[in-house]
């Protein structure tokens, strides 16, 4: 990707980010007045007015909005009411956990689905292919929250092999990773299988076979490289979704990532946490999209990224 294209992409992303933050400013205020949530029901009107002044909610909405945009340019999102700390500081603590969780889940899903997809394509129409189709479609269709609850019930409550929730050693990561990778695994198996069947019937594969190349080399070297192109695009889209955290999965397992932080911030009407979380996620999504474009062009040099 040339510097000119990268600069243009960055400028467009900056405009989109500014529009997103403007929309976020107004939408979070539809959740209600945080003063009513953080002060007792019997709090006096004077106490309510004092807190609104402290939070800057006493000023006209237009004034608040332009002050918010100015602070966004300085990466200042204010102090979290819930944590009583700078909101961006709290977000930057949670974001790496979500990125690590999503990266592990996607990497495993991609690697396993590539292997399974090749096996299904090589045995198209057989019993093995039919079983893989059923399993992958079920994995792609199962709701995250239901799978998470079933995993807790079976592996944590009944078998007591893994913790129900929380954050700590590797055992705390197993169930969230399994739940997050189920849907990408199912989708990618279907995509890779279809692409592999098409690639295995291509002229360059027939030429490789005619030259005496082994079937394993034909499948995993010649055909798989081209079959992975659609899968890379879908994986990039899934990575962008995971950047926001598997919100439901993180809540089910009490995993302290940015998805859970964002949902908790909405429920607690912590405007600073919600706004800074959305900003951080949007920046990560932009970086992921750029990375996917570069990776796509690396796999297939014929692709011209614009």
């Amino acid at each position: 990707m040339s510097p000119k294209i990268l600069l243009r992409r960055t400028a467009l992303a900056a405009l989109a980010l500014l529009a997103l933050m403007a929309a976020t400013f107004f939408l979070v205020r539809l959740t209600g007045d945080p003063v009513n949530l953080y002060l007792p029901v019997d709090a006096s009107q004077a106490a309510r007015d004092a807190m609104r002044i402290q939070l800057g909610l006493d000023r006209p909405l237009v004034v608040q909005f332009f002050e918010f945009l100015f602070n966004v340019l300085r990466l200042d999102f204010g102090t979290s009411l819930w944590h009583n700390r700078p909101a961006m500081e709290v977000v930057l603590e949670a974001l790496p956990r979500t990125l690590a969780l999503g990266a592990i889940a996607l990497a495993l899903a991609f690697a396993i689905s590539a292997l399974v997809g090749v096996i299904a394509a090589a045995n198209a129409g057989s019993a093995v292919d039919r079983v893989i189709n059923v399993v992958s479609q079920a994995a792609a269709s199962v709701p995250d929250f239901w799978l998470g609850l079933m995993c807790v019930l079976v592996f944590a409550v009944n078998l007591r092999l893994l913790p129900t929730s929380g954050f700590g050693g590797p055992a705390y990561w197993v169930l969230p990773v399994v739940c997050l990778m189920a849907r990408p695994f199912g989708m990618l198996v279907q995509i890779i299988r279809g692409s592999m069947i098409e690639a295995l019937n291509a002229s360059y594969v027939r030429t490789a076979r005619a030259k005496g190349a082994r079937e394993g080399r034909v499948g995993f070297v010649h055909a798989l490289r081209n079959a992975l192109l659609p899968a890379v695009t879908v994986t990039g889209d899934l990575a962008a979704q995971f950047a926001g955290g598997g919100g439901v999965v993180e809540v089910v397992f009490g995993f302290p990532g940015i998805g859970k932080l964002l949902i908790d911030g909405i429920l607690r009407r912590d405007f600073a946490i919600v706004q800074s979380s959305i900003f951080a996620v949007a920046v990560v999504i932009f970086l992921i999209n750029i990375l996917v474009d570069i990776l796509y062009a690396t796999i297939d040099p014929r692709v011209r990224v614009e």
Side-chain angles (χ1 to χ4, degrees):
M1 182 180 294
S2 68
K4 182 179 179 181
I5 294 174
L6 181 60
L7 183 62
R8 186 175 66 185
R9 288 282 186 90
T10 303
L12 291 174
L15 291 175
L17 183 60
L18 191 62
L20 174 64
M21 297 313 300
T24 302
F25 172 85
F26 292 104
L27 289 175
V28 295
R29 279 153 179 77
L30 297 178
T31 61
D33 188 347
V35 173
N36 295 330
L37 185 64
Y38 284 87
L39 286 183
V41 178
D42 58 350
S44 65
Q45 186 60 42
R48 294 176 182 277
D49 292 340
M51 186 172 183
R52 285 195 177 91
I53 292 173
Q54 178 187 351
L55 298 177
L57 300 176
D58 61 313
R59 287 168 291 180
L61 190 61
V62 175
V63 175
Q64 295 181 45
F65 174 67
F66 282 106
E67 183 179 6
F68 165 74
L69 290 182
F70 177 72
N71 289 332
V72 166
L73 295 176
R74 299 189 301 136
L75 301 181
D76 179 11
F77 292 88
T79 302
S80 166
L81 290 174
W82 174 21
H83 295 273
N84 196 27
R85 293 165 54 198
M88 186 53 74
E89 182 180 304
V90 178
V91 167
L92 292 179
E93 286 181 1
L95 184 60
R97 301 186 193 116
T98 290
L99 296 180
L101 181 66
I104 293 171
L106 269 183
L108 288 174
F110 191 89
I112 297 172
S113 62
L115 176 61
V116 174
V118 170
I119 293 173
N123 298 276
S126 67
V128 172
D129 183 33
R130 288 194 291 271
V131 170
I132 290 174
N133 265 322
V134 170
V135 172
S136 62
Q137 288 177 17
S141 305
V142 65
D144 292 343
F145 74 90
W146 183 85
L147 181 59
L149 292 174
M150 291 302 102
C151 286
V152 169
L153 181 63
V154 174
F155 296 103
V157 177
N158 292 336
L159 300 179
R160 299 188 178 182
L161 296 176
L162 297 166
T164 56
S165 62
F167 180 74
Y172 290 89
W173 293 69
V174 175
L175 293 182
V177 166
V178 169
C179 289
L180 278 179
M181 68 177 285
R183 185 165 55 89
F185 166 78
M187 294 172 60
L188 291 173
V189 166
Q190 294 292 316
I191 292 170
I192 293 174
R193 175 189 176 275
S195 299
M196 276 296 296
I197 290 175
E198 183 179 346
L200 288 172
N201 293 318
S203 57
Y204 63 88
V205 170
R206 292 196 297 270
T207 301
R209 283 174 176 155
K211 290 181 177 180
R214 289 179 299 177
E215 196 63 30
R217 180 176 178 80
V218 169
F220 285 95
V221 176
H222 295 282
L224 184 58
R225 177 166 181 163
N226 290 294
L228 285 180
L229 290 174
V232 168
T233 303
V234 173
T235 302
D237 292 337
L238 292 170
Q241 295 175 27
F242 281 6
V248 174
V249 172
E250 289 185 358
V251 169
V252 168
F253 294 104
F255 191 88
I258 199 166
K260 184 176 184 300
L261 180 67
L262 178 58
I263 291 174
D264 288 343
I266 293 172
L267 294 176
R268 296 173 185 267
R269 297 176 195 167
D270 194 335
F271 295 168
I273 286 291
V274 175
Q275 291 165 170
S276 55
S277 297
I278 291 176
F279 178 86
V281 169
V283 171
V284 171
I285 289 174
F286 164 69
L287 295 176
I288 288 174
N289 287 332
I290 292 294
L291 182 62
V292 169
D293 287 342
I294 294 173
L295 182 60
Y296 199 93
T298 301
I299 295 175
D300 188 353
R302 295 171 301 175
V303 176
R304 182 168 175 246
V305 179
E306 296 182 352

